[in-house]
């Protein structure tokens, strides 16, 4: 292994830029003549718009435009769309309601953009917005997803607020399995709604060039090409060749920046309307209002066991809250990203899952770190733990008894697991956690008046979603391949253009490590280019832990082509047969001779083209590739959480966290470990403190960090991270992906540990001190009263 | 934020005159309560009167019977005062528990008690020690000063110049942090000075900081955590929100009081 190649913990190349304030985020960019947009948003969860009076606002100083949804429609700007088609049980398509970028006729959640004011300064735009008068006729709000069906109708297309009622698996066979069961474990679960909170709020600059009749959009996107496609093809702003999307440095996304949002579409349209570039940067309070939220599932789940503790079947009924409108990929999250993972790490003969997706008067809900898979892992791993307790079996034992042990393994819910070793990760995690001495630690804690508990989460996820053909058959509106282009400069330095997009993942380092390893050149000579539709021809972006497994595989393919071409050049240079050229550590040699040519010389020769005729061989050294994987990848692992609960206050301290993950081949262990830490932190946040809450009228109650609890360092333990490795067979590097694992694994581990500590079957997330204390009141009233 | 003027007086008298002339003006101390609400356009003072250049408003002075803290003394400087640690570490621990380093480096005691946020820490210390709030006009006992959430005895043109705390041999502060904001979900300051026993509670009450008189009564026999066994606070006056119900808050007051007492009798 070289110092900068695959497997080396290379320091992140991009960090110097970021930590010295030299990053270029959207808000750092200023365009000549730039103006500022401020959005007037709905203060009501559900209301008819009876009248909008803009006259006074238009007369305010510095105002260039006060624009509303009717004008947008008049300009033939189309609605936002959801790009994944789901069909209900009866075959009918999902009920996608119109989602105008500026509300038309009605508003459906607090924060729904109604009017945009464009002015010379932001303060002027805000002042003018205060003069806009909107008359609303309030309607009853629907908030709770469990009560949405049949409540006040929100959209014309969905009479009972149900978007689809979908199912997966064989109901009859699953019911039969349950009928023969010796034991059935039942659980009601609410997977709490989360606000994503990337450190960089969303932002957009729209610019229209009257000369070329083309638009440019700078935005905080995880997938600028998809944004361009949607804004061109569906919103109809301009054809793709007249729309450039640039997502420069982006400060975190966690899924929330995948989607195409109102404000970016409006910034583009308004820039044409006012004839000047228009900038919008969200304030944190706006982020809370309409960045797509995550989770919000209510599930009843059951697991059936035979007399030996073998799982016979699993059935689940989930109501998924998709909020006021269908966000870009919202429909895929509670369906194909969720129910397909309900087999967990276990051989489960029969699974049946029903999902009702509903509209409510809340912010749209879409993918958030893990997207569907944390919800699935939570169902499976909570059921396993509760079952183990009910059956009186050690939870590790029950899992081991049911693990999938031979691969490939076809689950009853579409997924075909390619490889894995679930025993190995469980065993290693138990060693890291010193499981065998847990009893001792529990007794010791008891003497200090603390309740100690331990919880497992043996999760599996599906990453790098693909192949395109397969996802197409499941309703995806796009392919899920990735592209790469390797451009070798005449001096041998390299630019790699990728369709992936980094917003914290460290691609500039890890992708360069791959190239360094393959070409034997220093990583300083390698630049990774992403995030600009004028530079990178097309790409699918970054989410679902796909950039390694899919994005880097595309780079491998392009590197293969580059190497093949370079060998041809080298053959001409050294007057040898192409087949005799060998390439290793940055040097081309002729087999059986001492002739050699350095990488840089070959690159130069490819461009000066003096040693070969242009008829025989094209000059230049630049190759592109599209890579479409053969299967999803299946990262899996085991996390063990150990907690101490203070029964007098309900405070829970995580005293031990052992994570053992199988991510396949790891490019940069340091970065991967960081991804695990971040993911676990988010999962702990969900399990213990985070909750986006609306009151009964649909007013957000957790609209700032004063009320929305984000995990801080003091909420987190020092993590013990270990790895096991089975190589992923479906991509050339053997990678599986690591970005979401922590967030997927953590919630079940925490809740399993807390319920173990306080001796209760179930506890709601977030299990914050107040919730835990209330639960202890029931299980151990004496301890709690002290 | 709306546009505003800014004034930088160098004496209390100048500041008072400016206040009198600009009824819509606000004093600016550390800005960590005022500026956030201005940014959200929830406050729109026509002018800010910045106290940071006013001489003699900052500093911790330890006397034989009392500690006097200038209104503009930053939380950090109180928390790190070696003299204060000598005589009353419990008081130093109060600003030490506030917010994060940014907040502690900017926020002031004067701003905190002028604001009288129902979840703020200093009000508990003031009431729990029987402090005197000293203004340009008068001396106000803490018992009269705090008048409900965000409400104080201050008049519009009144400026806090310092706060005087009697030194209590036995004192302790315990705070249960709000899971999101880090303010006091419940904070209890206890003290005993000769025969005077005080138990002040912040965060929990439906109407701001208050004295837990049932606890004070119970502690008269013996100033010790055990004296609170079986003594509970009525839930009636408790605040309730998404973070904690009345029951839990009332319960936490008891727990925090015992812990504060344990510190006080140990220290
Ligand atoms: C992120 C964050 C976390 C925080 N966490 C906590 C916490 O855990 N506990 C806690 O107690 N507080 C907390 N605070 C509040 C913090 O302590 C503030 O600094 C304090 O409440 C106000 O002090 P200031 O000096 O910043 O006052 P400013 O914001 O400048 O002023 C506040 C008010 O007091 C008035 N005022 C200021 N000085 C005087 C004076 N001398 N005389 C009369 N009126 C005056 C002002 O006009 C204004 O109305 C937090 C704040 C932030 C931003």
């Amino acid at each position: 292994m070289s110092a900068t190649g695959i497997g080396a913990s290379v320091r992140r190349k991009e960090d110097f830029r970021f930590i010295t304030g030299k990053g270029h985020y959207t808000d750092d960019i200023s365009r000549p003549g730039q103006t500022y947009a401020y959005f007037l948003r709905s203060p009501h969860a559900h209301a008819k718009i009876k009248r909008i009076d803009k006259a006074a606002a238009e007369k305010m100083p510095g105002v260039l435009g006060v624009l509303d949804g009717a004008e947008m429609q008049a300009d033939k700007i189309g609605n936002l769309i959801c790009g994944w088609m789901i069909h209900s049980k009866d075959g009918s398509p999902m009920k996608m309601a119109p989602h105008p970028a500026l509300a038309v006729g009605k508003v459906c959640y607090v924060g729904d953009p109604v009017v945009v004011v464009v002015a010379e300064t932001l303060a002027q735009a805000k002042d003018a917005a205060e003069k806009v008068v909107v008359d609303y006729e309030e309607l009853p709000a629907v908030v709770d997803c469990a009560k949405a069906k049949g409540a006040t109708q929100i959209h014309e297309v969905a009479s009972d607020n149900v978007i689809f009622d979908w199912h997966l698996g064989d109901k009859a066979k699953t019911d039969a399995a349950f009928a023969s069961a010796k034991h059935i474990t039942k659980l009601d679960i609410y997977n709490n709604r989360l606000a994503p909170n990337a450190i960089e709020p969303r932002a957009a600059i729209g610019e229209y060039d009257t000369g070329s009749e083309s638009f440019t959009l700078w935005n905080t996107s995880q997938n600028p090409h998809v944004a361009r496609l949607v804004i061109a093809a569906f919103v109809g702003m301009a054809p793709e060749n007249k729309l450039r999307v640039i997502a420069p440095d982006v400060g975190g996304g966690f899924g929330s920046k995948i989607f195409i949002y109102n404000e970016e579409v409006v910034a583009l349209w308004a820039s044409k309307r006012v004839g000047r570039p228009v900038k919008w940067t969200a304030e944190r309070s706006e982020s809370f209002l309409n960045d797509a939220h995550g989770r919000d599932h209510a599930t009843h789940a059951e697991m059936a066991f035979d007399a030996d503790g073998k799982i016979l079947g699993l059935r689940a009924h989930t109501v998924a809250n998709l909020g006021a409108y269908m966000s870009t990929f919202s429909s895929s999250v509670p369906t194909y990203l969720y129910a397909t993972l309900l087999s967990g790490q276990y051989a489960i003969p029969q699974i049946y899952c029903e999902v009702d997706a509903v509209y409510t008067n809340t912010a749209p809900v879409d993918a958030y770190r893990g997207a569907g898979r944390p919800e699935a892992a939570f169902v499976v791993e909570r059921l396993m733990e509760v079952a183990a307790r009910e059956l009186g079996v050690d939870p590790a034992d029950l899992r081991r008894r049911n693990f999938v042990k031979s691969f490939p393994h076809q689950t009853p819910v579409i997924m075909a697991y390619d490889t894995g070793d679930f025993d190995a990760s469980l065993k290693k995690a138990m060693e890291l956690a010193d499981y065998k001495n847990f009893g001792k630690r529990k007794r010791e804690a008891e003497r200090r008046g603390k309740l100690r508990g331990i919880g497992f989460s043996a999760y599996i996820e599906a990453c790098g979603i693909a192949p395109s053909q397969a996802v197409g058959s499941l309703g995806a509106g796009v392919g899920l391949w990735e592209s790469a282009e390797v451009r070798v400069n005449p001096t041998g330095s390299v630019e790699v253009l990728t369709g992936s997009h980094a917003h914290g993942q460290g691609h500039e380092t890890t992708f360069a490590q791959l190239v360094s390893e393959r070409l034997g050149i220093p990583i300083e000579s390698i630049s990774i280019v992403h995030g600009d539709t004028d530079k990178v021809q097309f790409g699918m972006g970054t989410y679902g832990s796909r950039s390694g497994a899919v994005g880097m595989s595309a780079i491998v393919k392009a590197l293969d082509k580059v190497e093949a071409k370079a060998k041809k050049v080298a053959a001409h240079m050294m007057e040898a047969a192409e087949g005799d050229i060998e390439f290793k550590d940055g040097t081309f040699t002729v087999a059986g001779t001492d002739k050699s040519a350095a990488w840089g010389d070959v690159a130069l020769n490819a461009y000066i083209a003096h040693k070969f005729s242009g008829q025989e061989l094209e000059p230049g050294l630049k190759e592109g590739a599209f890579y479409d994987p053969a299967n999803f990848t299946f990262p899996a692992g085991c996390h063990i959480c150990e907690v101490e609960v203070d029964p007098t206050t309900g405070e829970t301290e995580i005293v031990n966290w052992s994570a053992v993950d199988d991510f396949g081949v790891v490019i940069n262990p340091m970065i991967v470990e960081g991804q695990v830490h971040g993911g676990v932190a988010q999962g702990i946040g969900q399990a213990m403190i985070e909750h986006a809450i609306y009151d009964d009228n649909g007013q957000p109650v957790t609209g700032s960090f004063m009320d929305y609890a984000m995990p801080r360092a003091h909420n987190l333990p020092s993590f013990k991270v270990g790895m096991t490795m089975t190589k992923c067979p479906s991509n050339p590097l053997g990678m599986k992906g690591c970005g979401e694992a922590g967030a997927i694994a953590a919630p079940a581990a925490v809740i399993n540990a807390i319920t173990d500590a306080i001796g209760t079957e179930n506890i709601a997330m977030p299990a914050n001190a107040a919730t835990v204390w209330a639960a202890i009141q029931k299980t151990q009233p004496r301890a709690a009263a002290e | 934020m709306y546009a505003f003027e800014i004034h930088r007086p160098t004496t209390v008298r100048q500041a008072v005159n400016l206040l009198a002339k600009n009824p819509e003006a606000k004093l600016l101390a550390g800005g960590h309560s005022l500026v956030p609400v201005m940014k959200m356009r929830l406050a729109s003072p026509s002018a800010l009167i910045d106290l940071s250049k006013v001489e003699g408003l900052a500093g911790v002075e330890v006397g034989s019977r009392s500690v006097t803290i200038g209104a503009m003394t930053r939380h950090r400087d109180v928390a790190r005062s070696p003299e204060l640690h000598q005589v009353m570490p419990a008081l130093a621990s109060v600003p030490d528990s506030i917010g994060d380093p940014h907040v502690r480096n900017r926020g002031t005691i004067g701003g905190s008690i002028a604001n009288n946020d129902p979840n703020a820490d200093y009000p508990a210390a003031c009431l729990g020690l029987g402090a005197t709030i000293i203004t340009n006009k008068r001396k106000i006992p803490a018992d009269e000063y705090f008048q409900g959430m965000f409400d104080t005895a201050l008049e519009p043109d009144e400026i806090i110049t310092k706060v005087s705390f009697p030194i209590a041999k036995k004192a302790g502060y315990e705070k249960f942090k709000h899971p999101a904001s880090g303010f006091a979900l419940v904070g209890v300051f206890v003290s005993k000075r000769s025969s005077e026993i005080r138990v002040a509670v912040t965060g929990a009450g439906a109407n701001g900081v208050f004295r837990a008189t049932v606890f004070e009564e119970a502690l008269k026999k013996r100033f010790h955590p055990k004296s609170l066994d079986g003594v509970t606070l009525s839930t009636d006056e408790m605040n309730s929100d998404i973070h904690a119900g009345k029951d839990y808050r009332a319960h936490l007051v008891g727990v925090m009081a015992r812990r504060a007492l344990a510190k006080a009798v140990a220290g």
Side-chain angles (χ1 to χ4, degrees), chain A residues 333-365:
Chain A
V333 177
T335 52
Y336 291 109
L337 295 177
Y338 163 68
T340 53
L341 273 307
L342 285 174
S343 198
Q345 296 188 351
Y346 313 108
I348 305 182
Q350 296 301 337
I351 297 174
Y352 179 66
C353 179
E354 291 174 286
V355 179
D356 300 338
V358 295
Y359 285 119
T360 60
N361 297 112
T362 61
V365 178

Side-chain angles (χ1 to χ4, degrees), chain A residues 706 712, chain B residues 19 25-36 48-49 51 57 71-75 94 97-100 103-104 106-117 119-123 135 145 154-155 158-162 173 175 177 181-184:
Chain A
M706 294 299 282
R712 297 177 165 96
Chain B
L19 259 187
K26 278 263 179 202
L27 297 171
L28 175 70
H32 270 54
S33 290
L34 181 57
V35 176
L48 290 185
I49 301 161
L51 296 179
L57 280 187
M72 282 299 288
T73 318
R74 315 277 174 189
H75 302 332
V94 172
S97 76
I98 293 178
D100 50 44
V103 178
R104 293 194 289 276
R106 297 298 306 163
T108 66
I109 184 169
S112 177
I113 62 173
N115 197 45
N116 192 19
D117 186 299
N119 293 88
D121 295 285
Y122 264 130
T135 74
Y145 175 85
L154 286 179
E155 286 161 14
E158 202 165 10
I159 297 179
I160 302 170
T161 53
K162 46 194 160 190
Y173 182 60
K175 170 179 183 180
K177 286 195 175 182
S181 73
F183 276 70

Side-chain angles (χ1 to χ4, degrees), chain A residues 123 126-127 130 285 646 648-651 689 693 701-702 705-710 712 769-770 773 784-786, chain B residues 1-2 39-41 117 176-183 241-245 247-248 251-252 255-256 258-259:
Chain A
K126 285 185 176 184
D127 289 345
E130 288 179 3
S285 24
D646 179 346
T648 56
T649 60
E651 269 177 303
I689 51 177
I693 300 173
V701 183
T702 47
F705 290 129
M706 294 299 282
D707 287 300
Y708 188 87
M710 285 289 280
R712 297 177 165 96
W773 180 77
E786 261 161 33
Chain B
M1 198 177 286
Y2 296 100
K39 276 165 72 178
M40 298 179 81
R41 294 193 154 200
D117 186 299
F176 190 89
K177 286 195 175 182
H178 185 291
S181 73
F183 276 70
D241 59 21
I242 55 164
H243 303 288
D247 285 5
Y248 185 50
H251 167 76
L252 282 181
V255 178
M256 294 303 118
R258 280 185 200 89
R259 289 183 183 176

Side-chain angles (χ1 to χ4, degrees), chain A residues 286-489:
Chain A
E286 291 183 287
S287 307
F288 276 107
L289 289 180
N290 84 327
D291 282 11
H293 288 173
R295 320 285 192 251
D296 207 344
H297 281 194
T299 296
H300 175 78
E302 302 183 356
M303 205 178 235
F305 292 86
D306 70 9
D308 301 323
K310 286 258 195 195
I311 309 168
L312 296 171
L314 184 157
R315 59 189 174 199
H317 182 247
T318 294
V319 180
N321 189 349
L322 297 194
Y325 303 98
M326 294 187 76
S327 174
T328 317
F329 290 109
S330 56
S331 54
S332 65
V333 177
T335 52
Y336 291 109
L337 295 177
Y338 163 68
T340 53
L341 273 307
L342 285 174
S343 198
Q345 296 188 351
Y346 313 108
I348 305 182
Q350 296 301 337
I351 297 174
Y352 179 66
C353 179
E354 291 174 286
V355 179
D356 300 338
V358 295
Y359 285 119
T360 60
N361 297 112
T362 61
V365 178
D366 206 324
Y368 171 68
R369 201 168 191 171
R373 291 151 294 168
E375 295 91 316
F378 194 70
V379 168
V380 177
E381 289 306 290
R382 286 289 295 126
L383 280 170
M384 285 305 271
E385 201 85 9
V386 172
R389 288 172 198 165
E390 288 173 353
L391 296 167
V393 183
D394 182 277
D397 230 43
L398 187 68
R399 287 182 167 85
R400 228 179 268 122
R401 244 181 253 182
N402 286 286
F403 277 156
V404 170
K405 292 195 180 76
S406 69
F407 298 90
H409 172 84
Q410 178 62 54
T411 72
V413 278
I414 300 178
M415 294 299 171
Y417 300 162
D418 49 8
T419 181
D421 187 344
F422 307 144
D423 260 327
S425 45
L426 177 74
K427 182 162 175 279
K428 193 160 176 182
M430 288 169 75
E431 283 164 16
L432 267 188
D434 187 22
Y435 184 67
K436 63 175 189 302
N437 287 314
F438 171 71
K440 249 191 244 165
R441 296 195 293 276
K442 188 175 173 72
R443 285 189 295 279
E444 186 275 328
E446 242 165 54
R447 287 196 288 277
R448 287 183 284 112
K450 296 285 171 68
L451 307 171
R452 203 159 171 124
I454 198 161
F456 288 77
S457 179
Y459 74 96
I460 190 164
E461 51 167 328
C463 291
I465 63 170
S468 300
Q469 217 178 9
V471 296
S473 74
L474 304 179
V478 288
L480 285 167
W481 42 264
E482 197 45 87
S483 79
E485 189 176 313
V486 175
R487 296 181 181 172
V488 181
N489 296 315

